Amino acid sequence: ASLARLHDDLVLLDSLAEGLILHNLRRRYASDEIYTAVGGILVAINPFQRLPLYTTERIEAYHKAGNKPMAPHPYKLADAAHKALLEDRGRNQSILVSGESGSGKTETTKQALSFLAEVAGSASSNIEQRVLSANPILESFGNAKTTRNDNSSRFGRFTAVQFDNQLKIAGASINNYLLEKSRVKGQSEDERNYHVFYQLCAGDWAEAFAVEGAEAYHYLDKCLVVDDIDDSADFVEVVNAMDSLGLEDETRSTIYSIVAAVVKLGQVHFEKLGGMSDGSKVASDDYSLAAVAAHLGADLDTLNYALTHRTLSIRGQKNTAVQLRVEQSLENRDALAKYVYDNLFDFLVQRVNRAL
């Protein structure tokens, strides 16, 4: 009986503590204090508006605060991690950014990196600017609008920042995992595909890659306009970021050519062969496949065959080609689009890491 009463008391205390924390969070949020410290944890609540919380002056204040108490902020967390490197040299420090979709993980990560770039930037190599330049590129190709967040990361990411003996940034590397490939071929209502597709359709290079407005494409037509996103301006920012990372003109052109190929793959359609065959062929009025082949630098006939056939390999026998039905060819088309985009994203991360 005593143990049962003790258990009930602990449950009540736990409930009261949780209620008190939520009450404090609610009151602080109402006052635009979106950050709250709970022990060594920084709790952030996305305000879904721009607040004047991130300035060079604030970075300076947190970096030089010493023992002076400062309000909870990502800068405070980043400063503690940086100073811990000095106090315990050789021991790695980690900042874990976690939360549900729309909670502000991407923004919080950017602010922590901005702080480190400001207080630990190298005067000679300018490596910190390259670290920051990686963000718009990865967001362009790896983020999308969802029903809960206009700039939701659809991939996992681990960023390691290396420091030299003077605690200046010496380099960085990024590991990516679990890109949401299924988004390439379709999204829920009021969601968008990856930002880069809309940026290319609205950007200065649209004509060069013969892409039309986003509304013209099957893979993009769920949600076209987002109030706080300027696709044309974002395209310019991404191109400038690629310049900062030293991506050559040919490489950038190839990257966007592949993006154009993926979006045009969604336009390829098929029809029945006719007669006794259940097989399919690219529709006679389809002109998209030729454009896709040109963008990929692939042979048109080979690509056509690959989309409409499957090869069966049986041990001890010669490989056999089986013609696909219309619905199977459509699935094949979408699988190719996902595969190409997934490999493009991996390539981009590799190029970013080479630049860092």
Side-chain angles (χ1 to χ4, degrees):
S2 297
L3 286 174
R5 285 196 298 272
L6 178 60
H7 175 268
D8 291 343
D9 290 343
L10 289 174
V11 169
L12 177 61
L13 286 172
D14 189 50
S15 178
L16 289 171
E18 184 178 334
L20 182 60
I21 291 172
L22 291 175
H23 174 70
N24 284 336
L25 290 173
R26 186 182 299 111
R27 290 193 62 181
R28 290 176 63 80
Y29 180 78
S31 303
D32 287 338
E33 295 179 284
I34 63 172
Y35 296 116
T36 304
V38 181
I41 299 171
L42 179 69
V43 180
I45 303 179
N46 192 341
F48 290 99
Q49 59 176 310
R50 291 291 175 185
L51 298 175
L53 298 174
Y54 317 107
T55 62
T56 304
E57 290 74 24
R58 278 180 178 255
I59 290 176
E60 190 77 6
Y62 277 90
H63 185 51
K64 295 184 176 180
N67 294 324
K68 178 182 175 182
M70 300 291 288
H73 197 287
Y75 292 165
K76 189 174 183 179
L77 224 59
D79 186 58
H82 186 242
K83 286 176 177 172
L85 289 174
L86 179 64
E87 295 166 1
D88 192 1
R89 285 179 180 271
R91 184 176 182 182
N92 293 333
Q93 302 295 318
S94 298
I95 299 174
L96 175 64
V97 185
S98 178
E100 63 182 14
S101 179
S103 58
K105 299 185 295 298
T106 298
E107 188 65 27
T108 301
T109 301
K110 285 195 290 188
Q111 296 309 329
L113 288 172
S114 295
F115 179 90
L116 293 174
E118 184 68 28
V119 304
S122 170
S124 57
S125 68
N126 209 29
I127 182 63
E128 70 280 357
Q129 290 306 316
R130 292 190 171 208
V131 173
L132 296 180
S133 292
N135 280 321
I137 297 173
L138 295 180
E139 286 184 25
S140 172
F141 287 81
N143 288 22
K145 177 198 180 300
T146 66
T147 54
R148 306 186 67 181
N149 183 0
D150 289 347
N151 188 34
S152 179
S153 296
R154 311 313 302 162
F155 68 102
R157 171 180 174 181
F158 179 82
T159 302
V161 182
Q162 291 95 30
F163 296 84
D164 61 19
N165 290 332
Q166 283 72 48
L167 287 187
K168 297 296 184 181
I169 294 176
S173 64
I174 297 168
N175 289 337
N176 65 293
Y177 52 93
L178 296 178
L179 178 72
E180 187 186 30
K181 294 181 289 185
S182 61
R183 180 167 295 272
V184 172
K185 73 175 185 68
Q187 311 86 43
S188 302
E189 291 297 328
D190 295 325
E191 293 196 352
R192 297 213 308 178
N193 211 321
Y194 290 103
H195 295 322
V196 64
F197 295 114
Y198 305 90
Q199 292 169 2
L200 180 59
C201 290
D204 294 338
W205 293 3
E207 185 177 350
F209 292 100
V211 293
E212 304 174 50
E215 69 280 355
Y217 297 103
H218 169 62
Y219 284 165
L220 309 181
D221 60 4
K222 281 289 195 306
C223 175
L224 299 172
V225 179
V226 183
D227 290 340
D228 59 348
I229 292 180
D230 185 336
D231 294 312
S232 182
D234 289 345
F235 177 81
V236 173
E237 182 181 5
V238 174
V239 171
N240 290 338
M242 288 181 174
D243 278 339
S244 298
L245 290 180
L247 269 70
E248 305 83 1
D249 290 345
E250 183 180 356
T251 301
R252 286 182 297 164
S253 180
T254 299
I255 288 170
Y256 280 107
S257 187
I258 294 173
V259 172
V262 171
V263 76
K264 291 178 183 181
L265 258 175
Q267 304 304 101
V268 178
H269 55 290
F270 305 88
E271 61 187 15
K272 285 187 175 182
L273 279 173
M276 300 295 292
S277 175
D278 288 333
S280 65
K281 63 178 181 178
V282 174
S284 55
D285 62 345
D286 181 275
Y287 299 100
S288 299
L289 188 61
V292 172
H295 285 307
L296 293 177
D299 178 72
L300 177 58
D301 291 336
T302 302
L303 183 58
N304 189 340
Y305 186 87
L307 289 176
T308 55
H309 292 75
R310 180 175 69 247
T311 301
L312 295 181
S313 180
I314 302 174
R315 189 168 57 181
Q317 298 184 26
K318 190 176 181 180
N319 289 347
T320 304
V322 178
Q323 291 179 325
L324 301 177
R325 298 191 299 273
V326 169
E327 59 272 19
Q328 292 174 316
S329 292
L330 287 171
E331 291 174 359
N332 215 17
R333 175 201 71 182
D334 293 341
L336 177 61
K338 292 188 294 181
Y339 177 80
V340 169
Y341 192 80
D342 186 44
N343 278 270
L344 173 63
F345 189 73
D346 286 343
F347 167 78
L348 264 175
V349 174
Q350 292 169 13
R351 282 297 279 109
V352 167
N353 282 333
R354 193 189 308 172
L356 299 181

